[in-house]
Amino acid sequence: MTQAEIKLCSLLLQEHFGEIVEKIGVHLIRTGSQPLRVIAHDTGTSLDQVKKALCVLIQHNLVIYQVHKRGVVEYEAQCSRVLRMLRYPRYIYTAKTLYSDTGELIVEELLLNGKMTMSAVVKKVADRLTETMEDGKTMDYAEVSNTFVRLADTHFVQRCPWVPATENSDPGPPPPAPILVISEKDMYLVPKLSLIGKGKRRRSSDEDAAGEPKAKRPKYSTDNKEPVPDDGIYWQANLDRFHQHFRDQAIVSAVANRMDQIFRSLPVGYNISKQVLDQYLTLLADDPLEFVGKSGDSGGGMYVINLHKALGSLATATLESVVQERFGSRCARIFRLVLQKKHLEQKQVEDFAMIPAKEAKDMLYKMLSGNFISLQEIPKTPDHAPSRTFYLYTVNILSAARMLLHRCYKSIANLIERRQFETKENKRLLEKSQRVEAIIASMQATGAEEVQLQEIEEMITAPERQQLETLKRNVNKLDASEIQVDETIFLLESYIESTMKRQ
């Protein structure tokens, strides 16, 4: 765990859950697994606060626990899962793209709450969608429920592990911590619910439909309701399934960019004859990138996607792009040359790249100091004398990808800090803007005249309005940059994970 990753985890935890949860989470990331009382002692936090913080972290799958032989329960942070919080906007947008606004809100609710029952998600989403509809229109629970089922069928949401039922006659004290289990066949099994109803709008006043103020409502009013049919069956977003979708889309986009004209000439609906399909498949299989491979010739052959080579090509293209942006096109030419030839001496680099010796030497050392290329020594004699040693430049893609991944983490942390600084600097102006907007909304609800609304709007002066626009523009740029850097992080992480699995 690098310092850049720990810092980024700290920023993400603080932004999402506050200082106490951030303190406990970062402590576990730094120290590894620890029992409850040791965490409280080492962090100087009360036992009650530590318990609440751990509940939040466990609810969001950011901390796991295990019982040791002596009966001690230890808690361990999941740093990789904390870093996934960067990708929440992308998960939500993907759900919107695939399953419209309903799918978007279902995934958003699951990410915001960590784990929820299906009935709770359906009701909450139906209420939120009803709020956005015109007066008189409501969202039916059944429609939201259908979208939830589709998300489960395509594995974008999955069941959480649960505590198995035990016989009451079982003697002995209960275990120090529950043991959660789930079988693979049950992970996407949706309970049969007959959710009947429609979404409700929130009322602007403090009174409910019967006109009774909230303060006078009995707190036990929900006790008489029927038990929830899916009580105890909790669901969560399946982040691995989203990652699989991102990976597939990245490969498709790469092939489409490389063979753009081919894809444009495909008939609408992909209604392709066998002869034309064979031509396209042969073209993909013969491509030097080797995204698609062919094995055997019986029955026309078997075509497969080579995921590892595809991810390797995407990671290499990312490295080339970074070299070109950072060092210029000539350095990028040398980088591609070393990639292609595997090992080259400095004189060979000068000759092949057709760059003067002094410039080539300077560029090689720049990339060497930036860890984009590495230098391999091959001695002719055991004494390693420089005059009798070959010095070969090479590109270790795995090492370069790890280096770039580390820098991406640092970049995102800097972007988050800058966004927080911008917001803090304009805190008073933002609060004033929010108050004015709240007053205008309240007056519009009571049917205020246009002149009155205009007077309220003029409470924010022209320079203040311009300052708000500048802040909004800057924050949007920082948010967009975060998403772009995270796309690079995803490609590099996917390639590193794929390479480690093959070793």
Side-chain angles (χ1 to χ4, degrees), residues 133 145 168 209 216 224 272 317 321 394 409 480 503:
M133 291 179 168
S145 182
N168 295 330
K216 293 185 179 179
N224 298 326
I272 311 169
S321 175
T394 185
Y409 287 140
Q503 290 180 352

Side-chain angles (χ1 to χ4, degrees), residues 317-374:
T318 301
L319 288 168
E320 287 180 19
S321 175
V322 172
V323 168
Q324 179 151 348
E325 288 295 323
R326 189 171 178 186
F327 303 113
S329 57
R330 285 190 162 194
C331 274
R333 192 198 309 173
I334 292 175
F335 185 80
R336 283 191 290 268
L337 182 65
V338 177
L339 263 175
Q340 184 183 1
K341 300 292 185 181
K342 307 295 184 188
H343 295 87
L344 285 177
E345 289 187 278
Q346 185 173 316
K347 184 68 172 69
Q348 292 175 308
V349 171
E350 297 163 10
D351 295 341
F352 285 131
M354 294 182 288
I355 295 174
K358 187 179 179 182
E359 288 184 35
K361 183 179 179 181
D362 184 49
M363 291 173 185
L364 283 168
Y365 286 172
K366 276 183 181 177
M367 288 188 285
L368 187 64
S369 63
N371 295 321
F372 287 96
I373 63 173
S374 53

Side-chain angles (χ1 to χ4, degrees), residues 397-417:
I397 299 176
L398 181 61
S399 175
R402 282 178 170 152
M403 175 275 301
L404 186 57
L405 180 61
H406 175 74
R407 291 187 179 178
C408 285
Y409 287 140
K410 290 179 73 174
S411 298
I412 289 234
N414 290 340
L415 287 167
I416 292 173
E417 286 186 323

Side-chain angles (χ1 to χ4, degrees), residues 19 32 73 92 208 221 249 252 285 326 328 387 414 492 498 503:
E19 291 183 3
V73 181
I92 294 167
D208 60 11
S221 60
Q249 290 302 306
V252 169
R326 189 171 178 186
S387 59
N414 290 340
L492 295 173
S498 174
Q503 290 180 352

